[in-house]
Every structure is written in structure tokens, then in C-alpha cells.
Amino acid sequence: MIRQLSYWSKKAYLVYPIQVLVGAIISILVSAETLNYQKKTYTLLKSSNVLNIIFAYKANKIWPIFFFSLALLQIYFHYLARLDVLPMPISSSGTGSTYLSYSNRRPLLKNRVITTMAAQYACKFLLKNLLLFLSFQFIDHVFIWTGGQCSSGSGTTSAEKCRLEKGKWYGGFDISGHFCFLVNISMILWMELHLFSRFVQAEDMLWVVNKWVRACLVITSVVLLIWICILWITAIYYHTILEKMLGCLMGYICPVFIYHILPRIELLHDYLYI
Ligand SMILES: CCCCCCCCCCCCCCCC(=O)SCCNC(=O)CCNC(=O)[C@H](O)C(C)(C)COP(=O)(O)O
Ligand SMILES: Nc1ncnc2c1ncn2[C@@H]1O[C@H](COP(=O)(O)O)[C@@H](OP(=O)(O)O)[C@H]1O
């Protein structure tokens, strides 16, 4: 399972542009009338469908659960890998395997591993929120500058606030918030799954992956697949091709900053990476 996860999490970044491309082809080949009829007929295609409500509009409430679960897993496995004596299962008096007691603990190194990685994940979380905040400021202002508005009459410049006011967000160039948001949060989890599976294999710690670890990885993967399903609907039934392309492109802002730029900031390297 770990090996498959390492492979698919490495390839995941290709899925979203392919969805935009396939969705564009379908939206060209299938008439707008047919797509609009299907959108109005099938519940799963409507904005109010339960998947969209729970896994898109409330994604900022569920995403931290998976992010910090993977963070804790990474910290735990890095902590174990830094111990001199890993807990090797040994047969005992028939009461199931017990573990060697840890020896040669190096408190300083143990603490440094935990504190450094905790700082790393705190920084990743803050950076994700900051970059998404700025991205949605950009998306919403482009919409307003291109003549868009909210039908609630409040004059809000936020699509989210407009929706909460039960208004209609119409009239402007509407870069896909679903693609921008769901690709960003998905790519962060894919990157964390990749880093974890690669570390477990590199440190030969596959035997530490118990049923609880596997359950965490499987549930996270299922949610990522649900977000891919939601984006198939977005890719086929919503937005213009350019709005989806730009939304998808903006979906890589967080992964690029967090996993390619941040690790290369020398000033922070000693504080965030071990
Ligand atoms: C190098 C060290 C860096 C550390 C960072 C230091 C600075 C930290 C500051 C962090 C705080 C930032 C303040 C902003 C906090 C937020 O606003 S977080 C929320 C960001 N916004 C989103 O996540 C928007 C999500 N969008 C939605 O949910 C949308 O409703 C939707 C689902 C995409 C649907 O879009 P519609 O257009 O409404 O259809
Ligand atoms: N997968 C999906 N399922 C249902 N509705 C979707 C969707 N993707 C986008 N939409 C809808 O398309 C509109 C623009 O979405 P976004 O800008 O976030 O990509 C939003 O509708 P509303 O305008 O009714 O809120 C959103 O709910």
C-alpha cells in the first residue's frame, strides 16, 4: 500500500489539468442546452448537492483534520527513526509481542525533531491560509473589476459572503474557486502523503505502519478522490474553459510555495527542516 501511495501521490499533480482538458472537450462536444438540462435535472450536478456542500463549501473545516493527522504521523515516524533502538517486536511469554524498551534516548535530538517538525507544519498551515486568502482576494476582485456583482445588493466583493447572503454572484469573469481551492488543498495532502510514504520506505519502517496508520492513509485518499469527483462536475458543467484553466493553474500556488520555495529559504531552513 505504501509503495502504491508513493507512486500515485507523485503523479497526482497531473490529474487536475487533465480534468480541465477533458471537461473542455466535453463542453465543446456536448451542447450547452444538454449540459444545462442535466445540471437542472440531476441533484448531484446542482450547487446545492450534499457532496458540494460538505466537501467543497465546508472543506476548510475538514481539511485541517487530514493535514494535522498526516503531520502527526510524519512527526511520530521521524521521531522513531531518530531513536537508536527502534521498538523491535520480540516474542514474549505468549502474551503477544512486546517491545524493547527504548534505550539511548537522546532528549535533545528527540526534542529537536518534534519541535522543528511542529514549527514546519505550523508554517505550512499558516502559509496555506495566507496564500488562499490572497488567491481569493484576487479571484473576487477580478470578478468585480470585470463587471461582476452580488445580487444581494450588499455590494460585497466576496463570493463567499455573497453566497452566505443568499445572493447570486453574476456578471463578471469568474475564475473557478472550486478548482483553485480544491486543487490547492488536495495537492498539499498529496505532497504530504508522498513525503510520508517516501520516508517510510527510505527508513525501512514499513513494519511500523499498523492498521491505524493505514486507516488514516485510506480515509485521506478517499477524501482526495471525492474532491476529484467534485472537480469532474466543475470541469464539465461549470465555468468557461479559461476560468477553469486559470483556477486550476492557481491551484498550484500553495504546493509550489510550500514544497518548492519554502524549503529553499536558507534563513528558515534550520528552524523548519531536520
Ligand atoms: C515563511 C513563513 C510564512 C508564514 C505565514 C505568515 C503569515 C500568516 C498569516 C495567516 C493568516 C491569513 C489570514 C487569512 C485567513 C483566511 O482567510 S483563511 C481562508 C482563506 N480562504 C479560503 O480558504 C477560501 C475558500 N473558498 C471557499 O470555501 C469557497 O466558498 C469555494 C468552496 C471555493 C466556493 O467558491 P465560490 O466562488 O464561493 O463558489
Ligand atoms: N462540482 C460542483 N458541484 C456543484 N456545483 C458546483 C461545482 N463546481 C462549481 N459549482 C458551482 O459553480 C459556481 C461557481 O463555482 P466556483 O466559482 O467556486 O468554481 C458555484 O455556484 P453558485 O454560484 O450557485 O454558488 C458553485 O457552487
Side-chain angles (χ1 to χ4, degrees):
M1 172 190 175
I2 292 292
R3 288 184 183 85
Q4 289 89 337
L5 200 56
S6 181
Y7 175 80
W8 287 112
S9 55
K10 194 174 179 183
K11 301 286 184 194
Y13 73 96
L14 294 169
V15 169
Y16 309 102
I18 290 170
Q19 287 186 291
V20 171
L21 178 65
V22 171
I25 293 168
I26 292 173
S27 62
I28 291 168
L29 297 177
V30 180
S31 71
E33 291 73 22
T34 304
L35 293 174
N36 284 329
Y37 169 77
Q38 291 175 348
K39 231 175 17 175
K40 290 185 171 65
T41 308
Y42 302 113
T43 309
L44 198 59
L45 304 181
K46 295 176 181 172
S47 299
S48 56
N49 84 72
V50 66
L51 271 187
N52 194 40
I53 300 295
I54 297 173
F55 289 95
Y57 288 129
K58 299 191 186 311
N60 258 337
K61 293 181 172 65
I62 55 178
W63 179 84
I65 299 168
F66 298 102
F67 177 73
F68 287 114
S69 298
L70 290 176
L72 288 174
L73 271 184
Q74 290 258 50
I75 292 171
Y76 177 60
F77 274 71
H78 276 77
Y79 164 79
L80 284 184
R82 289 293 184 283
L83 289 176
D84 283 349
V85 176
L86 278 175
M88 301 296 287
I90 52 172
S91 62
S92 62
S93 53
T95 56
S97 66
T98 55
Y99 289 94
L100 285 172
S101 64
Y102 293 120
S103 65
N104 299 335
R105 280 183 186 165
R106 286 178 278 176
L108 182 62
L109 184 58
K110 175 192 76 172
N111 292 337
R112 187 174 177 280
V113 165
I114 294 173
T115 50
T116 302
M117 292 199 73
Q120 180 189 132
Y121 281 99
C123 196
K124 286 177 175 178
F125 183 72
L126 284 172
L127 209 50
K128 170 259 180 187
N129 280 319
L130 176 66
L131 292 169
L132 276 182
F133 172 73
L134 296 174
S135 299
F136 278 91
Q137 288 296 313
F138 174 78
I139 288 174
D140 290 342
H141 281 86
V142 163
F143 182 82
I144 299 295
W145 293 333
T146 52
Q149 58 184 306
C150 177
S151 64
S152 70
S154 66
T156 180
T157 59
S158 160
E160 262 193 292
K161 289 197 181 86
C162 179
R163 181 165 47 79
L164 295 172
E165 293 166 0
K166 307 285 185 230
K168 194 78 191 124
W169 192 244
Y170 72 99
F173 181 75
D174 187 16
I175 296 171
S176 174
H178 270 64
F179 262 101
C180 174
F181 181 48
L182 296 183
V183 174
N184 268 302
I185 61 175
S186 297
M187 281 306 302
I188 291 171
L189 294 185
W190 282 122
M191 289 298 292
E192 291 300 327
L193 285 172
H194 181 66
L195 290 172
F196 174 73
S197 51
R198 193 177 61 178
F199 181 82
V200 165
Q201 291 180 92
E203 297 290 328
D204 194 18
M205 295 174 72
L206 287 166
W207 55 274
V208 188
V209 178
N210 62 22
K211 62 181 178 181
W212 299 111
V213 175
R214 274 197 296 276
C216 174
L217 300 177
V218 167
I219 295 170
T220 304
S221 303
V222 167
V223 172
L224 286 165
L225 293 176
I226 290 173
W227 281 333
I228 287 173
C229 294
I230 289 175
L231 288 174
W232 273 122
I233 297 171
T234 310
I236 297 168
Y237 292 97
Y238 291 90
H239 292 292
T240 65
I241 294 172
L242 186 58
E243 289 171 342
K244 287 176 278 197
M245 281 172 66
L246 290 176
C248 182
L249 191 64
M250 290 181 69
Y252 293 90
I253 290 174
C254 286
V256 166
F257 265 87
I258 294 172
Y259 299 97
H260 295 281
I261 295 175
L262 187 63
R264 288 171 175 76
I265 300 177
E266 282 300 319
L267 186 68
L268 296 171
H269 201 275
D270 293 341
Y271 298 100
L272 302 178
Y273 300 94
I274 44 177

